[in-house]
Amino acid sequence: VKFAPRSGVRSVLLQLPSPLPPVPSPPASGAAAQESRRGHLRLVGRTKEMINLGGQKVDPAPVEQVLRAHPGIRDAAVYPGVRPDGSEFVQSAVVPATSEPLDLTTLRAHCAERLEDFQVPTCFHRVEQLPRTPSGKCLKIHCPEYATG
């Protein structure tokens, strides 16, 4: 119990222990996981945006800007995929501007002209719309093949 003087009145500040269990630290990979009652971990999100490609870091924002600058793309999200060996790769979900088929060769060339080789997405997933929160933030965890490889 602490006493905190406040404008001539003495008030009491009670510091009680939290009834909630402590939150474990996220894994070093940046993945957010929940542990089941049986002790199994389930990926539920990411604590960081950067994609780690064996020491080279990819910030998704500039890659998303390049994708959105392509005339055939209305919207895009860039996020990690994870290979069976645990290494990450860059992938994206793209919302086409029209119903016409996407020319992936042209899209990949568009990215290669504007980005470093390691920043160019390995996979492009065509989606009708990106999953978003009510406030408009993209829920990348709900994009195709998120962190599954």
Side-chain angles (χ1 to χ4, degrees):
V1 177
K2 291 184 181 178
F3 292 96
R6 187 172 165 181
S7 61
V9 177
R10 291 179 55 125
S11 59
V12 177
L13 173 65
L14 294 176
Q15 294 181 335
L16 301 174
S18 173
L20 301 174
V23 178
S25 299
S29 68
Q34 287 181 335
E35 186 174 359
S36 71
R37 291 182 194 145
R38 295 182 183 181
H40 298 248
L41 289 179
R42 184 173 72 92
L43 291 177
V44 295
R46 290 188 69 78
T47 59
K48 63 180 177 82
E49 285 289 313
M50 292 296 218
I51 302 168
N52 184 0
L53 303 178
Q56 292 180 303
K57 307 291 190 228
V58 177
D59 181 359
V63 182
E64 291 168 353
Q65 289 175 343
V66 166
L67 286 167
R68 290 184 191 116
H70 186 279
I73 302 298
R74 182 167 39 96
D75 203 0
V78 174
Y79 51 96
V82 179
R83 294 185 179 92
D85 67 1
S87 63
E88 294 184 346
F89 62 94
V90 180
Q91 61 181 341
S92 65
V94 293
V95 180
T98 67
S99 60
E100 299 297 316
L102 277 176
D103 182 356
L104 295 181
T105 304
T106 305
L107 183 56
R108 198 174 307 276
H110 171 83
C111 291
E113 290 171 4
R114 294 161 178 83
L115 299 167
E116 297 293 330
D117 289 342
F118 69 91
Q119 295 175 304
V120 177
T122 303
C123 299
F124 297 94
H125 303 281
R126 180 187 173 126
V127 296
E128 294 298 316
Q129 64 183 2
L130 295 176
R132 297 200 177 273
T133 64
S135 65
K137 182 178 179 188
C138 183
L139 291 168
K140 294 180 182 182
I141 190 170
H142 296 298
C143 287
E145 303 296 319
Y146 178 88
T148 61

